[in-house]
Amino acid sequence: MSTLDCCAPKPSLTFSTTCPACGTSGKTVKLVTLKALLTPVALATLDPDEAYRFCPDATCDVVYFGSKRVYRQADVKVPVFQKNQDFRVPVCYCFGHTRADLDTATRNGQADTIPSSIQAHIKAGRCGCELNNPQGSCCLGNVNRTLSALREASHA
Ligand SMILES: [Zn+2]
């Protein structure tokens, strides 16, 4: 055994936190997110004892990965915001705000109305991100980032 062995990352640990296809580290998603969003055929292969993570990389086709298998965009019932740049893709999945909606609001000088309406829904307990959003968590960061990008583009 060499002296370096103790400092090397454990292979199992590395594999479970980074996407096996692109190497991007992914956040854990709840099993219920996969149960809600996988296609019937993909869901039939789900291992409920496995921990799954979401790959956020825009150019990688893998959406979810576990230690034994991955699920790709074709295995998910909805287009994935991070991986599909189409204007009809939702940024907020719960309340159906697409990139096009955010773009229209920005052009009309009403960019803030969408995030504040989402915030009001969150406060009222209506958000269902873990069931609706492929990333399994709140969309507000994506909404704000998309709005700033649109704002920058409109000033360019
Ligand atoms: Zn990936």
Side-chain angles (χ1 to χ4, degrees):
M1 198 190 210
S2 93
T3 50
L4 286 171
D5 284 352
C6 65
C7 305
K10 291 186 180 75
S12 61
L13 204 72
T14 309
F15 184 72
S16 63
T17 60
T18 61
C19 174
C22 70
T24 304
S25 77
K27 284 192 184 137
T28 314
V29 284
K30 289 183 183 160
L31 205 57
V32 70
T33 305
L34 280 82
K35 286 181 177 175
L37 294 173
L38 288 180
T39 62
V41 174
L43 183 59
T45 67
L46 186 76
D47 177 356
D49 296 324
E50 178 83 85
Y52 292 94
R53 288 173 182 267
F54 176 80
C55 172
D57 189 276
T59 58
C60 180
D61 190 39
V62 171
V63 180
Y64 302 114
F65 57 92
S67 65
K68 290 184 213 89
R69 64 163 303 143
V70 300
Y71 294 104
R72 297 173 184 278
Q73 291 184 82
D75 299 319
V76 180
K77 287 189 275 190
V78 296
V80 179
F81 167 77
Q82 284 84 348
K83 298 173 188 291
N84 187 330
Q85 300 309 310
D86 196 286
F87 254 47
R88 290 163 296 184
V89 172
V91 186
C92 167
Y93 286 79
C94 296
F95 304 105
H97 301 294
T98 61
R99 278 198 184 88
D101 295 334
L102 267 58
D103 184 52
T104 306
T106 304
R107 284 171 201 277
N108 294 338
Q110 302 190 314
D112 295 334
T113 58
I114 290 176
S116 48
S117 119
I118 296 170
Q119 254 156 351
H121 286 312
I122 294 171
K123 232 177 168 180
R126 298 185 188 111
C127 243
C129 297
E130 59 182 42
L131 297 175
N132 296 319
N133 191 330
Q135 73 181 16
S137 58
C138 184
C139 66
L140 216 49
N142 295 338
V143 169
N144 287 325
R145 270 190 296 277
T146 303
L147 284 173
S148 350
L150 287 167
R151 246 179 247 134
E152 253 166 59
S154 70
H155 291 310

